[in-house]
Structure formats: structure tokens, C-alpha cells
Amino acid sequence: MSTDTPSPADQLLIDHAFRHGFAVTAKMLEVWRSRRLLPGNISGGGLGRGKGSTSRPTPESFDLVLGLARHGGRGKRPHDVALLLFGEGLPVPEQTVRAAFTAAVNTLTVPGDDERDTDPEERLDALADHIADAGPTVTLVPARARRIDEGIARLVRAAGHTWPPAELAALDANPGTPTATPRDAALAAAAAAINGTMSLEDIGDLLRAMNPTAVANPIASLVETTRKDVPEFADAVLTDDNQLALGPVRDARDHLRDLAAAVPLQDLARAWKTAEGVRQWALDLCGRAEEEVASGQLGEATVEWMNGRYAMAGLAVLSTLKERDWPPTQHALDTLVLLYQLGEYRRLDRLVPGCQWHLLATEGLLPPPTRELLQDLINRHAPGAGAGVDVRPAS
């Protein structure tokens, strides 16, 4: 059919867009359908006596056309458009949504991916040489976070207090200046992607490196001393060589691809909104903390900042600040990583019954939006809580 003369069904969509202030053409509808962003029209059967057949748009096509008119301009990547529409709650075809999330995972590349049959240890040795020669690194502490840290430390010391507090040293089995470098972090991140595991030593080193002004880091210490402090727990979650691996040991990106392919769409949508909420919370916290530092008066925001700086909430802030623009592909990756983390919490709950999950509700430990996503686990294990209903989203 010529795209210059729209069918009656397509004309309904064109007119619908026009009434909402958008200029849509039959050619645009054809392109969107070829990219599986818009479903085809529904056949209404023949008119009889050689008069042809009728068709009508699917009900969801009317909302999708408006969304596509907003986001589907020239040069826009189809996967990005699909993710933006999905994020708005529009009924993008499921196959298209999953393909877009998978495409986001495929942007995570590690040197040597074209030779994935190579022994992982050989790959990591080659990668270490590559990093030493080419110098790819990761940003451990973005400049904005570093300025807030320095401002808080300056005000606390001006008030006559020691910062970081000396009491923290008593809670750290390995106090001292962090030694991990950005190159160390780059290699550890690549190793985690290739193997799907990370050693407790590397995790502790990275936690310390991402809070370099803290000469003591109790959270990092808890990680590093897991084998000694809770050997039965360690036996359930660690490999023989002290790698953290709750599930099958394989490329971490394959875990994310599995999620993109199989997790229920409603869970994807909820995690997408949660990832967005985490980013908004982190940026808001930065702004509020900066205002208090500028005023010279430490308040609720700086207390929240300091409480989270040693925990997962602080890591979420650092991750947010590393992504200035946050394109749809990164949003999709953050969504899948969040789902992966939640799945690991629930896997751990099955491996080690009796974990104190109610502690996740402690202020500063998790970003508030993430904490909300884990309320079923937190509430079910809170002191005095009843048996309740065990709701476990797919992981």
C-alpha cells in the first residue's frame, strides 16, 4: 500500500494525533510498525462483492501514536524510544520492550569479549595488561560528592569535633588509608562482569576507596571479616576461593539478559520507576546537603548524607553522580541491576534463613525508594512480625 494515501484505519490514527497537536503521516506509521513500536491494524473482514476489506487500529495504538509522536523523531534510536514509551506506561509490544532491555545489556563490553571461549583467568591477565597500557579507569568519587565530603568535614572540624569520628576505628578490623586505585577498580569491575563474582577482599577495597576520607569503614570491615565472623554463613554464600556467588557462576551480563527476557513486565515497570526514584532522591540529597554546607549549618540533609556514605545509599549517590545525562539505555541497565540485587537478597533469604532483613529499614542503609521495594522482606522479618505472606517477585 502506498504510504502517501493512508488507509481509513491509519487515517483515524493520523486524525487522533492531529487533535492532540501532532503531525503524523502514513509513512511515519509504517516506519514505527517496521520497528515493532506500533502494532498493525486489526482486520475487520471483507466487504464482499470485490469491494476489499476493512481494518481498524488496535485500541492501544491511539495512545502509542501520541507517545511516538513525542519521542520518535528523526535520529532517535528505536530501542531508546521503546524504553521511553515503556517508562511512561504505554503499551509497547512486549517483544520490543524485552529487546530494548537486552540491547542495553549488550552495551556493556569488556576487552576480549570477541574471544569469550578463552579461559577467564587468561582473559583477566590480558585485561590487566590492557589497563596498564591503555589506562581505562573508573571514577570512584565524582567531584560533586568529593566537594560535599570536604565541606562537611570542614564544618565538623570547625565546630571542634574530630572527623571522621575516632569511634569508627573501634568498629573496623582493618582501619587505615584506602589503597585501591581507579585502575584496581576497573579490573575488579571487569572481573565481576566476566565471572559474575567478586571476592570479599575486592568488595571491601572498593567500599573503602569510594569513601577515601574515612580512615575507618565499619561496613567494609563487616564484608572483609565474613569468613572469620560467621563461617556458616560464609560457607553458604562463598565459593572455595572466597568469591561471593549466590547463584550460578557465569558472566554477570548473562544474568541481566535472563532478567530482560523473563522477568514479568510489571516487575520491570516497577523497578524502572524505582530506579528513577533513586536518582531523584540522590540528586535532591546532594542539593540539600550543598545548601547546608554553603550556609555553614549542618542539618537533616548532611546527617542523611553522612549516614549513607558508608552504606548502599551512599553508593547509589555516587553512581547517580557518574551519569550526568542518564540516557534510556543507562536507565534500563540500572533497572536490571536493581532487579538482580533484589533477586540476590531473596536468594540469600532462602540460603540462610534468619537473616536480619529488618535492618535494611535503618535510615541511611538503602535509598528510600529501594527500601520501599523491599518492604515485604523487611516487614516479614521485623521483630514481632507475623508470618505474613511471602511475596517473591521473579528474579
Side-chain angles (χ1 to χ4, degrees):
M1 178 183 294
S2 169
T3 56
D4 295 330
T5 305
S7 68
D10 281 355
Q11 189 62 54
L12 290 174
L13 295 175
I14 293 169
D15 292 343
H16 178 70
F18 180 77
R19 287 193 296 271
H20 287 79
F22 299 107
V24 169
T25 66
K27 177 64 176 177
M28 294 165 67
L29 297 178
E30 179 185 332
V31 170
W32 292 335
R33 287 184 179 124
S34 71
R35 294 174 176 174
R36 299 184 178 182
L37 294 166
L38 182 70
N41 294 321
I42 303 172
S43 174
L47 294 173
R49 297 184 180 181
K51 295 182 179 179
S53 61
T54 62
S55 64
R56 66 184 187 279
T58 63
E60 61 267 26
S61 292
F62 291 94
D63 287 339
L64 276 173
V65 160
L66 299 182
L68 286 162
R70 287 195 303 274
H71 297 298
R74 185 181 300 275
K76 295 292 185 68
R77 295 184 297 183
H79 288 316
D80 284 352
V81 174
L83 291 169
L84 291 170
L85 297 175
F86 174 75
E88 291 185 1
L90 293 171
V92 188
E94 179 173 342
Q95 183 180 5
T96 304
V97 172
R98 296 192 184 281
F101 274 92
T102 300
V105 179
N106 292 339
T107 65
L108 295 174
T109 59
V110 177
D113 276 344
D114 54 344
E115 300 178 0
R116 293 186 66 175
D117 291 336
T118 305
D119 179 78
E121 290 302 319
E122 292 181 12
R123 284 192 65 186
L124 291 176
D125 287 343
L127 183 59
D129 292 339
H130 176 77
I131 290 175
D133 293 339
T137 61
V138 297
T139 300
L140 291 170
V141 184
R144 187 176 182 184
R146 193 179 296 275
R147 288 194 296 269
I148 294 172
D149 284 341
E150 292 170 350
I152 291 173
R154 184 174 60 253
L155 291 175
V156 172
R157 290 166 184 158
H161 303 289
T162 301
W163 189 255
E167 294 81 358
L168 289 180
L171 303 175
D172 190 345
N174 305 299
T177 303
T179 59
T181 67
R183 289 188 178 185
D184 294 332
L187 183 58
I194 293 171
N195 296 322
T197 65
M198 184 177 284
S199 72
L200 295 184
E201 181 182 3
D202 282 344
I203 295 172
D205 286 346
L206 291 178
L207 289 174
R208 294 179 186 280
M210 287 187 282
N211 196 356
T213 61
V215 293
N217 191 318
I219 300 298
S221 181
L222 284 174
V223 172
E224 294 160 345
T225 60
T226 296
R227 177 71 74 181
K228 177 173 66 72
D229 293 344
V230 281
E232 292 184 0
F233 173 85
D235 289 341
V237 302
L238 300 178
T239 63
D240 291 340
D241 56 352
N242 232 34
Q243 300 283 321
L244 179 62
L246 302 183
V249 176
R250 57 179 179 148
D251 193 306
R253 294 164 293 181
D254 290 336
H255 287 289
L256 299 183
R257 291 186 185 97
D258 285 349
L259 286 170
V263 72
L265 286 185
Q266 62 267 29
D267 289 351
L268 266 179
R270 188 180 181 196
W272 176 278
K273 293 297 184 185
T274 300
E276 185 174 38
V278 168
R279 181 175 177 83
Q280 292 172 347
W281 163 81
L283 293 175
D284 176 69
L285 176 59
C286 288
R288 290 186 294 117
E290 287 166 336
E291 289 178 0
E292 291 181 3
V293 169
S295 71
Q297 299 293 322
L298 303 184
E300 291 183 2
T302 44
V303 170
E304 185 177 1
W305 176 276
M306 290 185 287
N307 285 341
R309 197 63 179 83
Y310 294 86
M312 288 171 281
L315 298 183
V317 172
L318 299 186
S319 178
T320 294
L321 294 181
K322 292 174 188 177
E323 296 292 338
R324 182 185 299 272
D325 298 323
W326 210 46
T329 293
Q330 186 60 48
H331 192 161
L333 283 172
D334 289 347
T335 298
L336 292 173
V337 169
L338 177 60
L339 283 170
Y340 179 71
Q341 292 170 340
L342 300 184
E344 292 301 276
Y345 282 135
R346 291 182 167 85
R347 192 192 302 271
L348 180 59
D349 186 43
R350 295 191 291 271
L351 288 173
V352 188
C355 288
Q356 297 176 309
W357 295 112
H358 62 278
L359 295 178
L360 293 178
T362 304
E363 291 296 326
L365 191 58
L366 287 175
T370 306
R371 192 167 63 231
E372 288 299 313
L373 206 58
L374 282 165
Q375 277 305 307
D376 69 299
L377 194 62
I378 292 170
N379 292 339
R380 186 160 50 84
H381 290 273
V389 177
D390 184 4
V391 180
R392 298 177 190 264
S395 61

